[in-house]
Amino acid sequence: MGTPMPKSGQPVFYTVREAAQIVRVDPSTLYRAIREDAFPAVRVRYRYVIPAAALDRLITEAAESGGCVDPARIVAERRTAREVARLSGGAAW
């Protein structure tokens, strides 16, 4: 597994404020979702950053489904997959 490479000019991570602008919500809304474990983020000491890949996935899923995308569901699915992998010794399905 290699280091994620940014697309032309796109950052690998966004600040919460930048991500909030992209998804058109108030930063406090995004902070609340992150603290409730309902939005993907990386915590570095006291600061959160949002992976660009997470935003890309949300945007792609919304465009492809034509419906409402729930980031909390995506976070829960990833958490469940990690737990299954941990319990099964890391074996993939």
Side-chain angles (χ1 to χ4, degrees):
M1 182 176 188
T3 304
M5 296 303 293
K7 294 177 185 171
S8 58
Q10 181 184 13
V12 176
F13 290 96
Y14 290 103
T15 65
V16 172
R17 184 172 300 280
E18 290 168 336
Q21 288 175 337
I22 290 168
V23 296
R24 304 285 195 229
V25 298
D26 191 86
S28 62
T29 301
L30 198 49
Y31 275 114
R32 193 168 37 258
I34 291 166
R35 285 191 301 273
E36 293 170 356
D37 204 18
F39 198 89
V42 175
R43 184 174 179 178
V44 181
R45 295 185 60 103
Y46 301 107
R47 184 176 178 172
Y48 293 104
V49 290
I50 311 298
L55 284 179
D56 291 343
R57 180 174 176 196
L58 291 173
I59 292 164
T60 299
E61 198 169 308
E64 289 176 355
S65 74
C68 184
V69 175
D70 183 6
R73 179 189 51 78
I74 295 169
V75 170
E77 286 172 357
R78 292 192 68 199
R79 189 181 313 114
T80 300
R82 282 193 308 266
E83 185 64 14
V84 167
R86 185 185 69 79
L87 292 173
S88 65
W93 290 11

